Amino acid sequence: GQQVMQIPQYQHVQEGEDFTTYCNSSTTLSNIQWYKQRPGGHPVFLIQLVKSGEVKKQKRLTFQFGEAKKNSSLHITATQTTDVGTYFCASSGNTGFQKLVFGTGTRLLVSP
Amino acid sequence: NAGVTQTPKFQVLKTGQSMTLQCAQDMNHEYMSWYRQDPGMGLRLIHYSVGAGITDQGEVPNGYNVSRSTTEDFPLRLLSAAPSQTSVYFCASSYGQGAGYGYTFGSGTRLTVV
């Protein structure tokens, strides 16, 4: 079945440091979505990428979709304590948007 | 708008009992899904629906049933609860293909099976 692997599983940074999480698939993906889940909360949609090589920015967050559409990354510049949480990538593979399968997530801890 | 509403928020069941987790959305979303999240782990897709009357299995469907008689509601039924079904259950909905809005999640139901 469709699998999306995410690394690292966990990262602890000092406030102000940068952070990157990577999402990899062995098959071509039609889309990638990114979500953030705060501790004790529910996942919240951040962004969707659909085009090869696409790059999107949201303030300090930069999202990329690989040229081969098999990988994606989320980079946070100058982390803040409000960035704490688990970041998930998700994809419906190459079958449209209905069957959304999540990666294993990267848990980010930011120390002040 | 209320968004995605899940009830109950907490539930304790005895092994073998059955129950229905409710999910309702008021955004006229076509796509709805159920996920479970075990401690420290990611979300696993249980069942999903692309519209009223249409459902399909996800990654971990065994022990669960769903139906979608209306656009708004997507209940999840546990047929005979087992301790392995102790988890947090999330319902989510989306406009659908190409919309770019992603899925909106409910606040979850925390289920303990003893």
Side-chain angles (χ1 to χ4, degrees), chain B residues 35-55:
Chain B
Y35 292 87
R36 62 175 288 174
Q37 185 173 36
D38 300 317
M41 297 184 67
L43 297 108
R44 291 185 289 171
L45 181 63
I46 304 172
H47 286 285
Y48 65 99
S49 169
V50 298
I54 307 170
T55 63

Side-chain angles (χ1 to χ4, degrees), chain B residues 16-96:
Chain B
Q17 286 185 319
S18 62
M19 80 160 294
T20 299
L21 279 61
Q22 301 293 341
C23 176
Q25 53 92 8
D26 61 357
M27 298 172 285
N28 201 32
H29 284 173
E30 286 298 317
Y31 291 1
M32 295 187 75
S33 298
W34 276 102
Y35 292 87
R36 62 175 288 174
Q37 185 173 36
D38 300 317
M41 297 184 67
L43 297 108
R44 291 185 289 171
L45 181 63
I46 304 172
H47 286 285
Y48 65 99
S49 169
V50 298
I54 307 170
T55 63
D56 205 346
Q57 296 181 349
E59 303 169 281
V60 289
N62 292 342
Y64 307 94
N65 274 355
V66 293
S67 60
R68 183 103 179 264
S69 56
T70 67
T71 299
E72 294 78 20
D73 300 300
F74 191 40
L76 178 72
R77 282 183 289 278
L78 278 70
L79 309 174
S80 177
S84 61
Q85 294 179 304
T86 294
S87 189
V88 179
Y89 291 84
F90 289 104
C91 178
S93 70
S94 173
Y95 280 112

Side-chain angles (χ1 to χ4, degrees), chain A residues 23-45:
Chain A
C23 193
N24 298 297
S25 170
S26 58
T27 59
T28 302
L29 305 172
S30 62
N31 61 84
I32 277 280
Q33 296 184 359
W34 285 93
Y35 291 79
K36 177 183 178 181
Q37 184 178 27
R38 295 182 185 275
H42 58 274
V44 174
F45 174 70

Side-chain angles (χ1 to χ4, degrees), chain A residues 35-73:
Chain A
Y35 291 79
K36 177 183 178 181
Q37 184 178 27
R38 295 182 185 275
H42 58 274
V44 174
F45 174 70
L46 295 176
I47 209 160
Q48 176 176 277
L49 306 172
V50 297
K51 297 178 182 177
S52 170
E54 189 170 13
V55 178
K56 288 188 177 181
K57 293 189 176 184
Q58 290 180 349
K59 298 183 180 178
R60 295 179 293 104
L61 277 62
T62 302
F63 304 84
Q64 289 189 307
F65 201 6
E67 293 290 342
K69 301 181 76 173
K70 289 185 176 182
N71 57 75
S72 181
S73 65

